[in-house]
Amino acid sequence: MSDNYYNDRVEELAQQYLSLSFDDVHHNWAHHLPPILKKPSSTILDVGAGAGRDVSHIAEISAHYGNEGNNCRIYAAEPAIEMMKVGQETTRNQNVQWLQDPLPALEKTTRLEVSFDLILLSAVWMHVPPSQRARSMRKLANLLKPGGKIIISLKFGTTVEEQKKRQMYDVSVEELEHIAQNLGLFSKLEAQNEKDKLGRDGVHWQTLVLQMPDDGTGAFPFIRHVAINDGKAATHKLALLRVLLRIADGQPGAVLRRETSLHGDRVILPLGLVALYWIHQYKDLIDHYKLFQTPNKSPNMGFMKDGGWTKLNHRTSSDFRIGNLFIGEDAKSLHKTLSASAQNIRDMPSKYITLPNSDARVFEVAAKTVRPKDSLFLDLETLAQWGEFSLPESTWLALSRYACWIEPVLVNEWVKAMASYKGNQNDVGADKRAYMHNALQWLEPKRTTAEVRNRFESLKLNQTMQCVWSAKTLNRKYDIDHSMPFARWPNNDLWNLVPSNSKINNEKRDRLPTERKLVDARERMLQWWNMAWADDIDLGNELTCRRRFFAEANIALPGLSIDNISIDDLFEALLLQRARLKEMQQLNEW
């Protein structure tokens, strides 16, 4: 699309678009909207949203279904900045989030880590060059929920002048259906040869509805193939899949960027983070439970180096997490272990996990040499120094969306593999199988609020403290609450712990706060974050807490930059994470 054309003629074109109503243009498929809006939690994306006519209408009718248990999140992506400004004005005070974001990348939209029930492309597809259409549809399919729909209107009868000035291209139903079918989408022609509502001679429209029957990417069967069918000389392959699953499920902010390739878009992660989770996963399994991870009768694996792994015997899995600081010999030992783990990941599972019946590698590793230091703070910036780990975006999305189904398969296959190894033959009885399952439990952060309670007590000496949820003054009796319920999403980060009235916390329990409750608590939550952690503090230890606060938030919450220090952006990311948890786990709301 020629953004300059639309920016330069924004008043004329916006007036033209807004002269028609939503029903004028979209009556042929509008019957799909009510079932979506009636869902307890739904998400809708308008790509090429223009002057905001369509999203404004959707927001208006969604309000009729709105209540505390029914939230529809509406997003509008528009590449032309001046047109987007008109759209923002059209939807002022409505539940619409705008993004300046073009096809085929939709980079900002993808960074939200949100999947959609419905994606609308109204008068957009003819702007997509034929060479970019397969990638554009692949991107849109990756953004769909299972069962989600893409609505596309096709314009026929464009003039040579329009094609030149407005960068339009010929379209066809057959081409679009072919691209969609290759991605597992099925199509239905909702309207054929509809007259142009602006009365332009020779112009007519057709509307297609494309639907996703399942995950639509082939990623889920591939993951199952690696877990169950693929040959395994050790537990490396299962370990890598589980590491990636844990990052995708719990650390959506870990994505450094996305890139396009001949075989589809790819997600880029810090290699050091993959290596850190690798260590976390194997540490207690090998050191505490003494379980062999290869068929050989030797406990050692390639990443267990002298001066590295062997000098971290006093550490447990839970020490290897974002926000922790290692100093002195521990820092040097961890550096060596991270480097050895990164090399092991590159040379073993990444090298041998290939597409079925192919030599094409699924994962790519670009490792870097890092000079050891006597201080190692674990955040994304530090872990990115070890290089980058790349995986298909479709695999990343499948791991994120289906984590609760995939993980039991990985764990069961891992137990079967360990039970077959010579070094574990004495551990194969029924009770020993249970022992192995217990050994593979992912050691979550401890549910402790002592550190945050101490911070609260020190602040209370000089100022009045409030309950984040109710604004009630907190005196002697109060609780430290996990804003996102720990029982449902085990996260003990500083940003997730907030002061609460005890009675209110009892009422909330393990339920997910509604979006309305979070928005109502916004100013009090920002105030707490700011005075407890984010405000500029000169004291060394507290400055480390500030650094840790943002390090934890920037990886746990979607859409934040690697160096974010804005608590306003953090709160917007928290709203997104709330929506993700609601969608993926269908949690009860408070």
Side-chain angles (χ1 to χ4, degrees), residues 173-443:
V173 172
E174 293 74 20
E175 178 205 41
L176 182 53
E177 286 184 327
H178 177 71
I179 293 172
Q181 287 167 5
N182 285 342
L183 295 169
L185 299 164
F186 60 85
S187 62
K188 180 182 178 183
L189 189 65
E190 288 286 357
Q192 188 168 9
N193 295 334
E194 282 223 337
K195 292 182 179 180
D196 181 58
K197 299 300 181 181
L198 292 171
R200 290 170 291 191
D201 290 336
V203 175
H204 69 275
W205 298 82
Q206 294 187 8
T207 301
L208 266 74
V209 176
L210 309 175
Q211 186 165 343
M212 177 75 71
D214 49 38
D215 81 323
T217 64
F220 194 84
F222 156 72
I223 293 167
R224 189 177 184 280
H225 165 76
V226 174
I228 297 176
N229 301 323
D230 215 6
K232 300 172 188 68
T235 60
H236 294 101
K237 290 182 180 179
L238 294 166
L240 181 58
L241 285 182
R242 196 178 185 208
V243 160
L244 296 174
L245 179 143
R246 281 286 167 168
I247 295 173
D249 185 41
Q251 311 289 357
V255 178
L256 296 176
R257 66 184 185 281
R258 284 168 165 84
E259 292 181 349
T260 187
S261 75
L262 291 175
H263 303 291
D265 287 359
R266 298 184 70 83
V267 167
I268 313 300
L269 302 173
L271 177 57
L273 177 65
V274 180
L276 182 70
Y277 268 56
W278 183 269
I279 298 166
H280 177 115
Q281 180 167 246
Y282 273 121
K283 190 71 175 67
D284 291 352
L285 191 62
I286 294 172
D287 286 1
H288 176 71
Y289 289 94
K290 309 296 183 184
L291 287 167
F292 289 69
Q293 300 303 307
T294 70
N296 306 317
K297 230 177 177 181
S298 169
N300 290 328
M301 298 184 78
F303 53 88
M304 298 169 63
K305 304 293 186 184
D306 290 338
W309 182 278
T310 57
K311 285 195 172 183
L312 293 169
N313 290 332
H314 58 292
R315 295 285 193 166
T316 64
S317 289
S318 59
D319 292 327
F320 303 99
R321 63 182 301 270
I322 293 294
N324 276 4
L325 174 67
F326 286 69
I327 57 174
E329 289 302 313
D330 276 8
K332 294 175 183 176
S333 299
L334 177 55
H335 169 275
K336 188 168 185 176
T337 307
L338 282 168
S339 297
S341 298
Q343 182 178 345
N344 195 243
I345 291 165
R346 181 194 65 192
D347 296 342
M348 293 299 293
S350 294
K351 182 177 180 180
Y352 295 109
I353 295 178
T354 60
L355 294 172
N357 305 313
S358 169
D359 293 329
R361 296 184 188 180
V362 176
F363 306 117
E364 297 172 2
V365 176
K368 294 181 179 178
T369 301
V370 185
R371 182 175 299 175
K373 297 179 181 178
D374 57 6
S375 176
L376 192 61
F377 181 74
L378 298 177
D379 63 359
L380 281 176
E381 186 176 4
T382 297
L383 295 170
Q385 295 177 44
W386 270 268
E388 296 180 343
F389 184 97
S390 165
L391 71 156
E393 184 180 55
S394 57
T395 303
W396 169 262
L397 292 172
L399 291 169
S400 175
R401 293 171 184 170
Y402 306 111
C404 62
W405 297 339
I406 296 171
E407 183 158 37
V409 174
L410 297 178
V411 171
N412 286 335
E413 291 301 314
W414 200 324
V415 168
K416 284 170 59 178
M418 288 192 298
S420 70
Y421 296 159
K422 292 179 181 178
N424 297 326
Q425 288 305 304
N426 293 331
D427 301 322
V428 173
D431 289 339
K432 295 301 182 180
R433 290 285 184 120
Y435 177 83
M436 291 179 180
H437 272 281
N438 190 55
L440 281 168
Q441 286 188 12
W442 191 272
L443 192 59

Side-chain angles (χ1 to χ4, degrees), residues 389-498:
F389 184 97
S390 165
L391 71 156
E393 184 180 55
S394 57
T395 303
W396 169 262
L397 292 172
L399 291 169
S400 175
R401 293 171 184 170
Y402 306 111
C404 62
W405 297 339
I406 296 171
E407 183 158 37
V409 174
L410 297 178
V411 171
N412 286 335
E413 291 301 314
W414 200 324
V415 168
K416 284 170 59 178
M418 288 192 298
S420 70
Y421 296 159
K422 292 179 181 178
N424 297 326
Q425 288 305 304
N426 293 331
D427 301 322
V428 173
D431 289 339
K432 295 301 182 180
R433 290 285 184 120
Y435 177 83
M436 291 179 180
H437 272 281
N438 190 55
L440 281 168
Q441 286 188 12
W442 191 272
L443 192 59
E444 302 288 1
K446 294 179 181 178
R447 183 171 183 161
T448 175
T449 61
E451 180 181 12
V452 180
R453 186 173 287 273
N454 290 338
R455 184 68 179 135
F456 179 93
E457 289 293 332
S458 67
L459 292 168
K460 193 176 71 169
L461 296 174
N462 300 310
Q463 53 197 300
T464 301
M465 306 297 288
Q466 286 185 316
C467 168
V468 160
W469 303 116
S470 67
K472 291 182 178 180
T473 300
L474 299 178
N475 296 313
R476 284 186 302 171
K477 193 175 181 182
Y478 64 91
D479 288 339
I480 300 297
D481 175 41
H482 292 80
S483 63
M484 300 294 102
F486 188 92
R488 307 302 181 193
W489 189 57
N491 182 292
N492 212 60
D493 292 348
L494 297 179
W495 62 267
N496 197 35
L497 293 163
V498 296

Side-chain angles (χ1 to χ4, degrees), residues 153-165:
S153 62
L154 299 177
K155 181 182 180 181
F156 297 87
T158 57
T159 65
V160 173
E161 184 180 10
E162 277 185 317
Q163 291 181 355
K164 183 178 180 181
K165 288 185 177 180

